[in-house]
Amino acid sequence: MREAKQKCPGLVLVRADFQKYLRFSRLARKIYADYTNQIEPFGIDEAWLDVTGTEQIFGTGQDIANQIRQRLQDELGLTGSVGVSYNKIFAKLGSDMNKPNATTVITADNFQDKVWPLPVGELLYVGRSTRRKFQNRAIYTIGDLANRDIQSLRLLLGIWGETLHGFANGFDLEPVRLTGESSIIKSVGNSTTTPRDLVNNQDVKLIIYVLAESVAARLRKHGFKCKTISISVRGNDLISFERQGKLSGPTFLSNDIANKAMELFKTNYRWETPIRSLGVRGSDLVTADRHVQLDLFDNSNLDAEILASTVDTLHKRFGHYSVQRCAMLLDRHLTGFNPEQDHVIHPISYFK
């Protein structure tokens, strides 16, 4: 923004209203639900829908796409770009081709004409680094990738090269999940882009405790404890890193999670730049009711677990903000968000 204001001194900056963004995202998904129960979100403002078998009710995929775009405009005042195809990769690609308000149809008969001439970087999961590797091998378009020998792509990117080759040729067969369907849980985490830059350890500690409370509550909800804690940190220069460390024993307590996260942060960050984004994740999961050796003379963890379950009950009955740490009052602008409900909206992995 600083560079933008240097180029355009009269630039007017308007603060984003995240809550409104989230509300309209939910309203849009209610519209989708009128057409199918197979709705798989891909971030806050994108989703895949499988409308197979609804032709007799709503018409073709293109008809449904046009109906959804019209309803978004009439009911929510939003424009929408929709891709219609026989697989998720090409549907996503089509939704990006003619923004901001169009329906793009990619079929098994026309994809070579529509998709292959596009730059290879337009393909899902071809990021900046992968694109550079491809360009060094004279792979500039999706068609170049589709027609390249699989063995050479394996040598370049391993199994990932073969996967992207399949994407380029339309071989993607991943189904759209049913609404509410979830994959096997391998880790539980939350991250957030902070409302202002974090400039000291106290700022970081506040955010980590908010995130740790969410991670701990979700672990308890699903009946897990974690044995490893990971943090992700991104500075305002957009350079990021991740670190992880083992706990002394399995836990679903926010204090244990937050303390380990802070330990990892202090060990690995030198405050060369302010921080813009933080994440905390618990992994290496075990079931919460597994047999654990108890200390005959110290039941503090057991007492803390009972207290945590009580707080969960209060949150369920009276809302997320009914019981909070006193530290959360130190900076309400910084800590006044519910990461479990409001911030688990970053694009999920395409792979299950």
Side-chain angles (χ1 to χ4, degrees):
M1 287 190 292
R2 182 177 64 252
E3 293 176 359
K5 294 196 77 169
Q6 289 174 349
K7 293 178 180 294
C8 182
L11 180 69
V12 177
L13 299 175
V14 180
R15 182 178 293 277
D17 188 338
F18 181 81
Q19 291 301 321
K20 183 181 288 185
Y21 202 65
L22 189 64
R23 179 166 65 89
F24 274 80
S25 173
R26 290 168 176 162
L27 291 172
R29 288 178 190 171
K30 286 184 178 180
I31 293 175
Y32 307 157
D34 288 342
Y35 297 90
T36 180
N37 67 339
Q38 286 183 262
I39 303 169
E40 182 178 338
F42 191 65
I44 192 171
D45 57 358
E46 293 184 281
W48 283 295
L49 282 65
D50 188 339
V51 295
T52 304
T54 64
E55 296 87 349
Q56 298 300 318
I57 304 173
F58 302 113
T60 66
Q62 185 172 2
D63 293 335
I64 294 172
N66 289 331
Q67 290 174 39
I68 289 174
R69 286 198 303 110
Q70 191 63 51
R71 288 187 62 184
L72 288 173
Q73 195 158 20
D74 294 344
E75 299 175 28
L76 305 181
L78 302 175
T79 58
S81 180
V82 185
V84 179
S85 192
Y86 62 96
N87 67 53
K88 290 162 66 175
I89 294 296
F90 285 171
K92 161 66 177 165
L93 192 62
S95 71
D96 294 330
M97 287 177 64
N98 293 297
K99 289 185 174 182
N101 190 18
T103 297
T104 302
V105 180
I106 299 174
T107 68
D109 295 325
N110 71 14
F111 81 87
Q112 294 185 8
D113 296 326
K114 286 195 172 185
V115 173
W116 281 8
L118 297 174
V120 71
E122 297 294 315
L123 193 65
L124 189 63
Y125 288 112
V126 177
R128 188 165 27 185
S129 175
T130 302
R131 187 178 71 245
R132 283 199 298 265
K133 291 178 181 178
F134 280 153
Q135 290 174 346
N136 290 336
R137 301 299 193 281
I139 299 174
Y140 301 105
T141 67
I142 296 176
D144 292 337
L145 174 60
N147 290 295
R148 190 55 61 96
D149 175 65
I150 291 181
Q151 187 58 36
S152 67
L153 293 173
R154 274 180 171 270
L155 291 173
L156 180 63
L157 296 174
I159 190 64
W160 188 238
E162 183 175 348
T163 300
L164 293 176
H165 178 269
F167 286 175
N169 280 287
F171 297 154
D172 167 47
L173 296 176
E174 281 291 320
V176 177
R177 291 183 187 175
L178 288 166
T179 302
E181 180 184 351
S182 60
S183 58
I184 297 173
I185 298 174
K186 296 183 178 179
S187 66
V188 173
N190 272 115
S191 63
T192 185
T193 299
T194 55
R196 63 169 173 81
D197 286 349
L198 309 181
V199 295
N200 54 46
N201 286 353
Q202 179 64 23
D203 285 349
V204 171
K205 185 176 182 179
L206 291 178
I207 295 296
I208 279 180
Y209 265 104
V210 175
L211 297 175
E213 291 279 4
S214 173
V215 171
R218 292 168 63 205
L219 284 168
R220 293 191 293 270
K221 177 180 177 181
H222 293 291
F224 290 115
K225 291 183 178 181
C226 64
K227 297 194 291 183
T228 300
I229 298 300
S230 307
I231 63 168
S232 58
V233 180
R234 186 177 68 193
N236 65 0
D237 55 1
L238 302 184
I239 296 175
S240 60
F241 71 89
E242 292 191 18
R243 296 291 185 272
Q244 68 177 29
K246 288 279 189 181
L247 292 160
S248 58
T251 188
F252 53 36
L253 298 176
S254 57
N255 271 348
D256 297 339
I257 295 169
N259 289 339
K260 188 63 179 181
M262 276 305 297
E263 176 190 322
L264 289 168
F265 176 81
K266 291 178 179 178
T267 302
N268 292 282
Y269 203 70
R270 296 292 176 265
W271 286 111
E272 295 175 356
T273 60
I275 291 171
R276 199 74 184 95
S277 175
L278 274 177
V280 175
R281 185 173 72 252
S283 58
D284 198 6
L285 305 183
V286 297
T287 54
D289 57 356
R290 63 169 289 179
H291 298 294
V292 178
Q293 180 66 48
L294 299 177
D295 190 321
L296 181 62
F297 303 102
D298 182 8
N299 66 348
S300 57
N301 249 20
L302 183 59
D303 290 342
E305 290 180 3
I306 294 172
L307 178 60
S309 296
T310 302
V311 171
D312 288 342
T313 302
L314 292 172
H315 284 167
K316 186 175 181 179
R317 291 187 61 188
F318 302 110
H320 171 76
Y321 298 103
S322 58
V323 179
Q324 289 188 287
R325 293 174 178 273
C326 292
M328 301 300 101
L329 302 176
L330 295 175
D331 190 333
R332 294 301 296 163
H333 178 60
L334 199 58
T335 63
F337 67 95
N338 178 357
E340 184 175 3
Q341 292 182 1
D342 297 345
H343 286 256
V344 188
I345 45 78
H346 302 293
I348 60 173
S349 174
Y350 171 83
F351 302 97
K352 311 300 185 291

